[in-house]
Amino acid sequence: MSALTTPLLPEDFLTLFDPLWSTTSLRGRVVARRRETDRAVSVTIEPGRAWAGHRAGQYVGIGIDVDGVRYRRSYSLSSPETAEHLTVTVQEVPGGVVSTELVRNVPIGTVVELEQAAGGFTLPDPLPGRLLFVTAGSGITPVMSMLRTLAAAAAPMPDIVLVHSARTPQDTIFAAELAGLAARHPSLRVVQRHSGVTGRLDPASLDAAVPDRAARTVYACGPDGLLDALTDAWDDVVVERFTPPARESEGTGGTVELGDSTVEVQPGQSLLEAGESAGKIMPSGCRMGICFGCVLPLREGRVRDLRTGQAHGEPGDLVQTCINSACGPASIDLP
């Protein structure tokens, strides 16, 4: 009824012609797709007027409709800070709804929802004297944003070693561009490894490849096993994780009032997953319990932390919906 009685604002008419003109709702339009490997594509998006830009190494939340359901996922930006358009490089995940849509299907011209860039996996200012980037698989994407930004800067490229591992040469994202960057910038050394031939990266093999590793500031992005090994062996490693934390509890599930709807949350299912599966537009961010972009106020009942199995929550508490499940009946406000 309010939609019929509330006067339309000038912006409402403008967004009828172009959704990107909105200054209150951030959207973007897919303007290019480039295949990087059989499983990965780079998707370039023209952001709307409300886009505030990004720092190299950050990620962006993207909302896209698949079979009538709005899904949101976060992807690292691979474009440099100075780019007019933003680019995410997505590797298809088996069973992944959004990654499969972006890698295989999304047509040019598709309008997607965007969230402002977020994340603390960024380079300090001033830069350290010597850097070591350790990446594996799609973990190269935030580091590629850093390298592209540094390459585009007026200052010379710092002393950087990048050790990147992929399963095979054919699986290596940005292989040719990385080789080209190293050829143009003598202070950048790129070591490309292939785990199918040489085995997976570990601290010992990295120390062998980079003898002055201890004198370098280390940034790492890749599978949890690699990141855990590095942080156990070395001090002060800056890491970026793509995978959500392990779930210690399957939870109990329950019926949750989510805004003006009732949603059944299955045991082991997060509130965010249940809401999105029901077609609700949910705020989200990293989906790993880090950024707090998914918090909603709990009105009644309690929830269960899927990482620890602990039931918690009092009316008025802000609940991270990405890492909490239902713990019996509950009610959560949804704007």
Side-chain angles (χ1 to χ4, degrees), residues 205-229:
S205 63
L206 287 163
D207 274 330
V210 189
D212 65 345
R213 185 272 308 164
R216 294 180 177 273
T217 301
V218 181
Y219 280 67
C221 186
D224 281 347
L226 171 63
L227 302 184
D228 290 342

Side-chain angles (χ1 to χ4, degrees), residues 180-251:
L181 283 172
R184 293 194 301 276
H185 299 278
S187 57
L188 170 63
R189 182 163 73 96
V190 174
V191 180
Q192 298 199 41
R193 298 276 300 271
H194 303 116
S195 59
V197 177
T198 59
R200 295 181 178 179
L201 294 176
D202 57 31
S205 63
L206 287 163
D207 274 330
V210 189
D212 65 345
R213 185 272 308 164
R216 294 180 177 273
T217 301
V218 181
Y219 280 67
C221 186
D224 281 347
L226 171 63
L227 302 184
D228 290 342
L230 296 183
T231 53
D232 287 345
W234 304 339
D235 294 329
D236 301 323
V237 181
V238 183
V239 301
E240 176 80 329
R241 298 178 186 271
F242 285 163
T243 54
R247 295 184 175 184
E248 298 292 341
S249 169
E250 291 301 309

